[in-house]
């Protein structure tokens, strides 16, 4: 069964992740998820400025013509896509700020049609959607989903995206030590694990060495993160799915400043500038915790 990374509950200190006066203006972020609740007030600016592009793929693997932007609940996963999109580009609502790159353009792609397709059909949907996103020319692509095994069905197309200078950020998975999910266990992506408010790797955060590549590359906030939910509500969620957008959004900000850098250079810089607490376990959390301010100082 193809599994969307679980999330249950998240409240980062967004001020710590906003860097200088960069807000993502001019950057495009790709967002593969369950869709987006485009009517949520956190996305008012995104809609009014026409910075939202939405696409949905059906069970036949083809893009659905004139699809309306919406979020699809899958089992216990409620507005998963809206939550991750909120961390990426959500605007301020009544003084509450949830988005890290609120002026970026978002290309939100719904890749989980209902009823649930077979594993083979789901793999083909992902591949077709990844091929489609190239034409939208995102600088960064956030993949907050995963197959809870090593699945190389979309390895080739993701490697092509990286070759085209698109930084691909993926959640490492929520099955704990010695387990990771694809595409988070591909060597070419920037794999993100989750930490709690005390800078400890969350027990659920995946980690393993896969095809001689240690996963994750680094960690970001992943416990009780506040972002967009159903209707006009905000919700707390937990998971590496909610950690990955922190890294993707910070990269979108920094690519404003240095668009010429390659995904491999960004990965190396993310790891080199990551913060490592004294008791840090690199086998569980990779190079450390995302440190946006230190990252900015070196760009």
């Amino acid at each position: 069964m193809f599994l969307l990374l679980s999330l249950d509950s998240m409240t980062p200190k967004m001020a710590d992740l906003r860097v200088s006066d960069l807000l993502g203006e001019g950057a495009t972020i790709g967002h593969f998820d369950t869709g987006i609740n485009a009517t949520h007030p956190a996305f008012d600016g995104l809609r009014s400025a026409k910075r939202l592009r939405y696409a949905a793929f059906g069970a036949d693997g083809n893009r659905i013509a004139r699809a309306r932007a919406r979020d699809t609940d899958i089992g216990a996963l409620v507005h998963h896509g809206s939550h991750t999109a909120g961390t990426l580009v959500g605007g301020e609502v009544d003084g509450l700020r949830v988005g890290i790159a609120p002026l970026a353009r978002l290309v939100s792609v719904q890749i989980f049609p209902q009823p649930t397709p077979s594993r083979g059909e789901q793999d083909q949907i992902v591949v077709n959607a990844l091929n489609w996103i190239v034409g939208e020319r995102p600088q960064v692509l956030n993949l907050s989903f995963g197959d809870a095994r090593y699945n190389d069905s979309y390895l080739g197309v993701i490697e092509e995206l990286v070759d085209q200078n698109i930084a691909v950020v993926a959640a490492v998975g929520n099955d704990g030590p010695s387990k990771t999910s694809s595409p988070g266990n591909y060597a070419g992506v920037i794999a993100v694990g989750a930490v709690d408010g005390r800078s400890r790797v969350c027990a659920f955060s995946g980690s393993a060495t896969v095809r001689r590549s240690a996963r994750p590359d680094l960690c970001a906030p992943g416990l009780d993160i506040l972002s967009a939910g159903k209707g006009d509500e905000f919700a707390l969620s937990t998971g590496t799915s909610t950690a990955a957008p922190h890294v993707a959004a910070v990269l979108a900000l920094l690519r404003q400043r240095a668009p010429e850098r390659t995904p491999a250079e960004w990965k190396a810089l993310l790891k080199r500038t990551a913060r490592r607490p004294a008791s840090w376990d690199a086998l569980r959390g990779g190079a450390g915790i995302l440190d946006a301010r230190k990252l900015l100082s070196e760009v």
Side-chain angles (χ1 to χ4, degrees):
M1 178 181 178
F2 189 93
L3 298 176
L4 188 69
L5 297 182
S6 66
L7 61 118
D8 303 298
S9 49
M10 265 182 119
T11 3
K13 298 175 182 176
M14 285 298 174
D16 294 339
L17 292 171
R18 291 180 182 272
V19 286
S20 186
D21 58 347
L22 300 177
L23 296 172
E25 190 170 8
T28 297
I29 303 173
H31 170 249
F32 276 44
D33 217 303
T34 61
I36 182 173
N37 171 18
T39 62
H40 193 284
F43 304 125
D44 284 350
L46 194 71
R47 293 195 319 274
S48 63
K50 298 183 178 179
R51 288 185 281 105
L52 174 62
R53 171 95 153 116
Y54 181 80
F57 283 74
D60 60 359
N62 296 320
R63 185 179 167 217
I64 300 171
R66 296 182 296 279
R68 179 176 60 87
R70 59 189 294 269
D71 207 340
T72 302
D73 293 346
I74 302 175
L77 299 172
V78 179
H79 275 48
H80 186 279
S82 299
H83 196 281
T84 56
T87 300
L88 292 168
V89 299
E92 185 172 327
V93 180
D94 296 331
L96 176 64
R97 297 191 300 178
V98 295
I100 297 168
L103 295 187
R105 176 175 178 259
L106 186 73
V107 182
S108 181
V109 184
Q110 207 278 71
I111 55 169
F112 296 98
Q114 295 295 296
T116 302
S118 68
R119 179 189 288 275
E121 290 170 333
Q122 183 67 73
D123 287 349
Q124 190 59 55
I125 291 166
V126 173
V127 169
N128 290 357
L130 288 169
N131 279 314
W132 176 82
I133 197 72
V134 175
E136 298 298 315
R137 306 192 64 80
Q139 286 80 36
V140 182
L141 177 58
N142 186 78
L143 304 177
S144 284
F145 69 89
D147 192 330
R149 60 171 183 151
Y150 186 80
N151 177 0
D152 63 3
S153 298
Y154 22 92
L155 175 60
V157 65
I158 285 181
E159 288 178 335
E160 290 177 14
L161 293 173
V162 174
D163 287 343
Q164 295 190 41
N165 205 31
I166 298 171
V168 180
V169 178
V172 75
N174 294 338
D175 290 323
S178 302
K179 295 181 181 179
T180 58
S181 297
S182 295
N185 49 26
Y186 295 170
V189 308
I190 298 167
V192 183
V195 292
D196 63 19
R198 297 175 64 182
S199 298
R200 301 172 303 188
V201 177
C202 296
F204 61 78
S205 189
S207 60
T209 296
V210 181
R211 305 300 196 269
R212 296 193 296 273
S213 178
R215 310 278 80 196
D217 292 299
L218 77 165
C219 288
L223 182 68
D224 292 335
I225 297 302
L226 182 67
S227 190
K230 283 194 120 176
D232 60 357
E233 298 175 349
F234 288 86
L236 294 172
S237 291
T238 286
T240 57
S241 285
T242 53
H246 291 81
V247 175
V250 167
L251 280 181
L253 300 184
L254 296 176
R255 294 201 81 164
Q256 282 184 259
R257 181 167 289 185
E260 74 287 348
R261 296 207 182 197
T262 67
E265 289 172 333
W266 281 119
K267 181 191 283 194
L269 190 57
L270 281 164
K271 294 170 73 171
R272 180 158 54 81
T273 58
R275 178 173 60 85
R276 295 181 65 137
S279 59
W280 188 254
D281 181 356
L283 294 178
R284 288 286 289 123
I289 302 170
L290 173 67
D291 188 334
R293 295 186 185 281
K294 187 174 180 182
L295 186 60
L296 176 67
S297 72
E298 300 203 18
V299 176

